[in-house]
Amino acid sequence: MDAEKVLYLEDLAPGQRFAGSMRIRIDEQRAKEFAAEFDPQPFHLDAAAARSSIFRGLAASGWHTAAVTMRLLVASEFRPAGGIVGAGFDELRWPLPVRPGDELHVECEVLELRPSKSRPEQGLAKVRTTTLNQDGQAVQVSVGNLVVQRRPAAAPGKHP
């Protein structure tokens, strides 16, 4: 991370938005490999079985989408000090299935900020991350709480 791009809790504000320029295309074989290892359900693995499922076609696992989202978020312009450290989710939804060939990107918005009472060197940022497909449709929406470092206090006699 470039030091000038790192965002401390004090640099963030509710309503602030960040975009990701990286896009990842969902490869059918990789989606099947992920599903085979972590979510081995027929609608993620077999096109014929998927056609008769609720998805009406092959769909990537939501957990694959979540992993891709993390990669996209790390590559985005949202760069909190200390890294993207999750403290839990308030919400995680998959409003539409992700299909092989879909090209995903992310956007995130700061919803709330709260300095920690017990750890003055950090705080929590509540952030909504939306993963969108090539048509601008949301395929994953999460509201997560991230631990973000606060700006270090200047040493006495020193100026920032």
Side-chain angles (χ1 to χ4, degrees), residues 8-18 109-113:
Y8 291 94
L9 191 70
E10 294 80 4
D11 300 324
L12 300 172
Q16 200 170 9
R17 294 176 180 266
F18 299 90
E109 178 184 3
V110 176
L111 301 176
E112 295 174 22
L113 298 168

Side-chain angles (χ1 to χ4, degrees), residues 73-87:
L73 192 56
V74 169
S76 77
E77 61 186 15
F78 179 61
R79 298 179 183 264
I84 298 173
V85 179

Side-chain angles (χ1 to χ4, degrees), residues 76-115:
S76 77
E77 61 186 15
F78 179 61
R79 298 179 183 264
I84 298 173
V85 179
F89 286 101
D90 292 347
E91 177 183 326
L92 176 60
R93 296 184 295 115
W94 294 293
L96 291 173
V98 171
R99 309 286 185 183
D102 279 354
E103 192 171 272
L104 306 183
H105 65 282
V106 297
E107 298 174 351
C108 66
E109 178 184 3
V110 176
L111 301 176
E112 295 174 22
L113 298 168
R114 183 171 46 101

Side-chain angles (χ1 to χ4, degrees), residues 50-92:
R51 280 192 293 278
S52 63
S53 75
I54 189 173
F55 298 111
R56 300 289 182 240
L58 203 61
S61 168
W63 300 112
H64 186 177
T65 304
V68 169
T69 297
M70 186 65 199
R71 176 64 183 102
L72 291 167
L73 192 56
V74 169
S76 77
E77 61 186 15
F78 179 61
R79 298 179 183 264
I84 298 173
V85 179
F89 286 101
D90 292 347
E91 177 183 326
L92 176 60

Side-chain angles (χ1 to χ4, degrees), residues 14-35:
Q16 200 170 9
R17 294 176 180 266
F18 299 90
S21 59
M22 176 186 251
R23 292 176 180 260
I24 294 178
R25 184 175 304 278
I26 302 301
D27 176 77
E28 182 173 338
Q29 187 58 38
R30 288 188 74 186
K32 286 179 176 180
E33 289 169 1
F34 181 98

